[in-house]
Amino acid sequence: METTHPYVGLWVTEDGRIRHELLSNGRYVEARGTRERAYEGRYEVTGNHIEYWDDTGFTADGDFIDGVLHHAGMILYRR
């Protein structure tokens, strides 16, 4: 299933250490530092809220506020 919304793409912390790639198929890949595929899983966006379900079993969420992703105490910017 393809997901079309304005949030698909790459989101990065200001220092570039954390990178979330939201793929159009409802999957995500999170890179941390030099670990390019540190976490992977699926996600859903409802309005400005995002829910993550990692393949290892943990869940997380976040909100898009004024074009910025706020997730787990981190702030990620569109790249």
Side-chain angles (χ1 to χ4, degrees):
M1 175 174 108
E2 292 293 308
T3 303
T4 304
H5 58 74
Y7 302 128
V8 167
L10 186 61
W11 296 83
V12 181
T13 55
E14 190 170 44
D15 63 5
R17 180 169 156 57
I18 309 295
R19 300 170 303 283
H20 285 197
E21 186 171 7
L22 302 180
L23 305 172
S24 63
N25 64 358
R27 301 278 300 165
Y28 76 90
V29 178
E30 179 178 321
R32 289 186 172 242
T34 60
R35 291 180 56 207
E36 287 300 321
R37 298 182 87 81
Y39 300 100
E40 297 181 63
R42 68 182 181 89
Y43 73 92
E44 281 183 19
V45 174
T46 305
N48 291 322
H49 185 76
I50 187 168
E51 294 280 341
Y52 295 91
W53 293 271
D54 187 79
D55 290 344
T56 63
F58 74 84
T59 62
D61 67 349
D63 293 291
F64 296 93
I65 302 169
D66 296 327
V68 176
L69 173 55
H70 297 257
H71 164 71
M74 296 179 282
I75 297 175
L76 295 97
Y77 301 91
R78 185 69 180 258
R79 207 39 79 91

